Amino acid sequence: LTESMRDLGYSLETAVADILDNSISAYATEIDIYCLLSNNNPSLAIIDNGIGMSKDELLKAMKHGSINPKAERDIDDLGRFGLGLKTASFSQCRQLTVISSRKKALNAAQWDLDLISKHDEWLLQILDESEIQSFDMIDKLPETGTLVVWKLLDRLFEEMTGKSRDALVNEKLELVERHLSLVFHRFLSGDVKKRKKLTIRINGHQVEPFDPFCRANKATQVHPEEKVMVDGKVINIQPYTLPHHSKLTKVEYDFYHDRSDFISNQGAYIYRNGRLMAWGDWFRLVPRGEATKLARVQIDFPNSLDESWTIDIKKSRARPPLAVRERMKQIISKIASSSTRVHRRRGQLLFSEVRAPFWERYSDPGCTRYSINQEHPIISSFAKELDKVKEAQFLTLLESAATSLPLEMIYSDFSMNPKEMISPIMDNAEILSKLSQLNQILNQDGKMTPKNFREIVQSTKLFEDHEELLEEFIKEELGG
């Protein structure tokens, strides 16, 4: 059984989060995670300043399945099965030690899978004072709090050694930080009612909260909150529409895009007692796609409804009950249209900024296509300089280019990395040369006004990152 419990599907980040659930349930406000790789027996330690445990409480915590999942739990309890401490730990190590202090009174117990395997018995070791003091991080345990130590980390290193092992661990710890910053973001921000703000550190580095709803940005749309009753308990549903990427500052965009892309992380975000359980899913109510890429729904339910939500041992899966799914259908249709409008509004703005757009969109029955506008001043002015044969060849060339537009590739790149879709990189000399060429095409009769030249040039988007140089050129060449 102990060996089988190691393969329930935990990753390092979900295992660490499961341990932190116990710390938060014990009202900890400070949690430190240390990964010690320098000694002969590397370890990972998690220390909190929670209420600690007596000897009897510690023995109960170390017991497998110590709590009936159907039993009524404390309103702030983040656990359910009484298995998380053990299953999460065994998924990463073969030796779990828990040392708890309450007003300096120390109690410690240890599970060692090799010992259990050797004797084929449930042998829980109770540690004495000298054994407790031999642990590296014992001096960091507060007068009241708990220290969880993982040793024999056979899953963490994946048989890597030396610098390769250290690089692998650092990469995994980065994933742990990102996971904790999202899963516990409301605790880290102090947004959970009746709970003090939580601080989590990994090897001394403080974890910053990651709000998936981007609520600090004024452009985020907060829709009316909905309430659904299930078994006499209230479930709160709060929809959001995230801002278009152009409304995010560079710092905000980098922060959000570095942690998630808008397409894969749309959907419902399900919280149980303030802890994020599952996210990025519409529960087959609607397919994930461009229309809903900016839509997010925050759903809060109490732990008394665990069974209705089919919470799993890892606390990484949750399925809404029927009443919530039915309400979600109505909510999704509203916020999907809001998400779509954010994008369409941007597109409509492009086509109304100038009198003659460079590209035209045609919508025929069952068909949408894009074409280069042959009436655009740059196109028409250049075409006039050609004889009839060359003009026909030139326009055919434009049609060929337009029909070869790689729409699927553009859609994919823009969906995943919109801010990386940039204009060609040019130096000042090249920019001025191209502006001069456009001036020769457009201003052959010398009657082009600064305003018209500016509008036509801006419609190409070729110089949108070089507005100052454009204005200098207009002032010198056109006197405006």
Side-chain angles (χ1 to χ4, degrees):
L1 177 62
T2 55
E3 296 296 335
S4 299
M5 288 169 59
R6 305 196 71 199
D7 297 306
L8 290 175
Y10 281 96
S11 61
L12 177 62
E13 58 268 24
T14 56
V16 170
D18 222 338
I19 303 300
L20 265 58
D21 284 340
N22 296 325
S23 298
I24 294 172
S25 295
Y27 302 99
T29 57
E30 303 272 341
I31 302 175
D32 280 283
I33 302 168
Y34 295 97
C35 191
L36 307 177
L37 304 178
S38 57
N39 55 31
N40 294 329
N41 189 0
S43 63
L44 188 143
I46 301 173
I47 307 170
D48 70 53
N49 66 342
I51 59 176
M53 290 180 281
S54 66
K55 183 177 181 179
D56 289 342
E57 290 170 334
L58 174 59
L59 293 177
K60 183 179 180 181
M62 296 293 273
K63 181 180 178 182
H64 293 72
S66 57
I67 299 174
N68 187 334
K70 294 181 179 291
E72 185 174 346
R73 309 177 73 91
D74 184 88
I75 191 172
D76 296 315
D77 195 343
L78 297 183
R80 185 187 179 198
F81 296 95
L83 286 170
L85 171 64
K86 286 74 66 177
T87 54
S89 299
F90 293 156
S91 74
Q92 306 300 316
C93 71
R94 297 192 65 82
Q95 186 186 90
L96 162 66
T97 306
V98 179
I99 305 171
S100 197
S101 174
R102 182 173 287 174
K103 296 181 180 179
K104 295 185 178 181
L106 292 173
N107 296 287
Q110 182 181 94
W111 283 119
D112 188 318
L113 296 189
D114 292 335
L115 182 67
I116 293 173
S117 178
K118 179 181 178 180
H119 294 279
D120 195 21
E121 291 185 42
W122 291 103
L123 297 176
L124 177 67
Q125 300 177 80
I126 308 301
L127 307 187
D128 59 27
E129 181 68 21
S130 62
E131 291 172 316
I132 291 174
Q133 294 302 325
S134 68
F135 283 83
D136 293 328
M137 307 304 296
I138 191 64
D139 60 318
K140 295 186 179 296
L141 180 63
E143 292 184 2
T144 297
T146 299
L147 165 63
V148 176
V149 182
W150 294 348
K151 288 191 176 183
L152 303 179
L153 297 161
D154 60 330
R155 297 285 177 85
L156 179 60
F157 303 138
E158 299 180 20
E159 299 182 357
M160 303 291 285
T161 59
K163 292 183 179 180
S164 297
R165 181 199 69 175
D166 294 353
L168 174 66
V169 172
N170 289 331
E171 183 179 314
K172 289 185 176 183
L173 289 178
E174 184 177 341
L175 292 176
V176 170
E177 179 179 354
R178 294 187 181 200
H179 185 74
L180 300 183
S181 72
L182 174 61
V183 168
F184 298 110
H185 76 90
R186 291 166 72 176
F187 291 93
L188 293 168
S189 301
D191 291 339
V192 179
K193 292 181 180 179
K194 299 180 181 179
R195 295 296 298 253
K196 294 182 179 179
K197 186 176 180 179
L198 175 66
T199 298
I200 301 174
R201 289 178 289 264
I202 301 178
N203 288 336
H205 174 71
Q206 186 165 324
V207 177
E208 297 296 330
F210 170 55
D211 176 13
F213 310 113
C214 198
R215 285 172 291 193
N217 191 301
K218 294 181 180 178
T220 294
Q221 299 178 37
V222 183
H223 302 283
E225 185 182 43
E226 308 273 350
K227 294 183 183 295
V228 176
M229 296 294 293
V230 174
D231 295 337
K233 304 291 192 305
V234 177
I235 295 175
N236 295 299
I237 304 176
Q238 176 63 70
Y240 297 90
T241 301
L242 269 59
H244 187 271
H245 70 85
S246 63
K247 295 292 186 180
L248 299 175
T249 65
K250 185 179 187 306
V251 173
E252 285 178 326
Y253 178 81
D254 291 344
F255 185 81
Y256 278 83
H257 187 70
D258 187 46
R259 287 160 176 77
S260 62
D261 67 82
F262 289 116
I263 285 286
S264 65
N265 285 284
Q266 63 182 278
Y269 284 67
I270 300 174
Y271 295 82
R272 172 178 175 265
N273 292 1
R275 196 260 208 212
L276 183 58
M277 306 290 290
W279 63 92
D281 193 354
W282 289 121
F283 310 110
R284 299 183 181 180
L285 300 176
V286 64
R288 292 192 300 182
E290 191 73 18
T292 52
K293 69 180 290 185
L294 299 180
R296 306 286 188 274
V297 180
Q298 174 183 320
I299 304 178
D300 282 277
F301 75 94
N303 60 9
S304 55
L305 292 177
D306 279 357
E307 195 165 356
S308 299
W309 285 77
T310 59
I311 302 297
D312 66 352
I313 289 176
K314 303 192 305 295
K315 295 192 278 288
S316 61
R317 187 198 70 209
R319 179 172 174 77
L322 179 61
V324 176
R325 297 200 304 274
E326 291 296 324
R327 192 72 192 98
M328 281 284 291
K329 289 181 183 178
Q330 303 170 33
I331 294 172
I332 291 171
S333 63
K334 294 179 182 178
I335 60 175
S337 61
S338 174
S339 175
T340 303
R341 282 198 304 272
V342 171
H343 288 284
R344 287 180 177 169
R345 190 179 303 126
R346 300 297 304 177
Q348 290 167 353
L349 180 60
L350 171 63
F351 290 100
S352 63
E353 281 175 338
V354 294
R355 295 190 185 93
F358 206 90
W359 284 88
E360 290 183 317
R361 178 180 183 274
Y362 294 89
S363 182
D364 303 321
C367 174
T368 299
R369 61 186 176 88
Y370 292 85
S371 176
I372 296 174
N373 179 15
Q374 296 182 7
E375 300 301 320
H376 190 280
I378 294 177
I379 304 296
S380 59
S381 297
F382 182 75
K384 288 177 183 178
E385 297 300 305
L386 304 174
D387 59 41
K388 293 297 182 182
V389 174
K390 293 294 184 184
E391 181 182 1
Q393 293 174 344
F394 172 62
L395 296 178
T396 299
L397 175 64
L398 293 183
E399 290 178 7
S400 300
T403 55
S404 302
L405 192 66
L407 291 174
E408 292 183 357
M409 191 181 302
I410 293 172
Y411 171 82
S412 175
D413 290 339
F414 188 81
S415 297
M416 301 296 290
N417 306 292
K419 292 241 175 181
E420 293 179 12
M421 304 287 286
I422 60 174
S423 301
I425 298 175
M426 301 180 289
D427 58 29
N428 288 359
E430 188 176 2
I431 294 168
L432 292 173
S433 174
K434 291 185 182 300
L435 286 171
S436 179
Q437 292 170 4
L438 288 177
N439 188 35
Q440 291 173 16
I441 295 172
L442 295 168
N443 199 20
Q444 296 174 26
D445 57 4
K447 297 181 180 180
M448 175 65 66
T449 66
K451 180 181 178 182
N452 288 343
F453 183 80
R454 183 183 294 106
E455 285 185 346
I456 293 170
V457 168
Q458 287 177 338
S459 73
T460 69
K461 302 297 179 182
L462 183 59
F463 308 98
E464 64 179 354
D465 295 327
H466 310 284
E467 291 291 335
E468 292 184 6
L469 210 55
L470 170 61
E471 293 303 323
E472 290 179 14
F473 179 86
I474 291 175
K475 184 176 181 181
E476 291 179 8
E477 298 296 329
L478 300 172

